[in-house]
Amino acid sequence: DAGVIQSPRHEVTEMGQEVTLRCKPISGHDYLFWYRQTMMRGLELLIYFNNNVPIDDSGMPEDRFSAKMPNASFSTLKIQPSEPRDSAVYFCASSLPSGSHNEQFFGPGTRLTVL
Amino acid sequence: SQQGEEDPQALSIQEGENATMNCSYKTSINNLQWYRQNSGRGLVHLILIRSNEREKHSGRLRVTLDTSKKSSSLLITASRAADTASYFCATDNTDKLIFGTGTRLQVFP
């Protein structure tokens, strides 16, 4: 398996633009997690899905952030409109059933810069 | 808010020395995991220790868990330059993990 795939790897955009980050989890994993990492706040869980259903989105910072998982092999995280403070590295991770009792496999991340 | 706090924030050692990183957490757990992150990469799982375990080994890694003190330590023995990375502890909270602030380890050749 290729592991968790994220695209794009780097994204530079201007304030106010819409940004869409994409993730393909490892086949057979039914948990999918979106994280944001910054120097100031460290690694934050934004939202996670189980069997394509959002379970906990309490980490989503604002209504400008939304995430979807239309099927077991694809998820998106959208920011609209983007702001400079959204600049961060966004990671997607997936895991097997039993959630955190199993290791999470992380993608390479998307480095987002909002100018 | 983050549940895990790591200590020290940064650690610099020479190759061959041992590196010890500590993690403290706030609430009861089922298990605690340690992850490694190389610069510019995603996190990679290293080891998991369950709440009823006190010590676990994996190669050059040794993890201890003290649930009474709500703390864990990660020991890397005979460190190598390739061990240079950030190390994070993570505790479970229902189905999700809460990551600590991380320790940046620098191993000089």
Side-chain angles (χ1 to χ4, degrees), chain B residues 17-92:
Chain B
E17 294 180 338
N18 295 341
T20 299
M21 289 158 270
N22 302 297
C23 167
S24 60
Y25 56 92
K26 297 176 183 175
T27 63
S28 61
I29 60 172
N30 292 316
N31 64 68
L32 184 144
Q33 303 181 32
W34 284 90
Y35 285 77
R36 163 190 168 134
Q37 183 180 32
N38 287 79
S39 180
R41 301 286 188 90
L43 280 72
V44 175
H45 180 266
L46 293 176
I47 193 167
L48 179 152
I49 186 166
R50 301 194 186 283
S51 60
N52 61 355
E53 297 177 310
R54 290 297 167 259
E55 188 171 310
K56 200 163 184 179
H57 296 255
S58 177
R60 294 184 295 112
L61 304 181
R62 173 179 169 248
V63 171
T64 63
L65 179 64
D66 187 336
T67 53
S68 67
K69 295 181 179 178
K70 291 187 170 56
S71 67
S72 174
S73 68
L74 171 67
L75 168 68
I76 303 174
T77 60
S79 64
R80 306 167 181 167
D83 295 328
T84 294
S86 291
Y87 293 82
F88 296 85
C89 67
T91 51
D92 67 320

Side-chain angles (χ1 to χ4, degrees), chain A residues 48-112:
Chain A
Y48 76 96
F49 296 82
N50 180 24
N51 291 320
N52 313 336
V53 176
I55 302 301
D56 184 350
D57 65 354
S58 61
M60 296 285 262
E62 301 171 33
D63 291 344
R64 298 183 297 107
F65 286 70
S66 63
K68 294 181 180 179
M69 192 165 185
N71 57 63
S73 60
F74 184 65
S75 178
T76 60
L77 178 67
K78 186 175 293 186
I79 309 173
Q80 167 63 17
S82 58
E83 297 182 2
R85 59 191 167 128
D86 301 330
S87 296
V89 181
Y90 291 82
F91 289 102
C92 174
S94 69
S95 71
L96 287 165
S98 300
S100 62
H101 297 173
N102 286 307
E103 63 181 282
Q104 291 186 13
F105 293 79
F106 281 73
T110 295
R111 182 173 295 277
L112 173 65

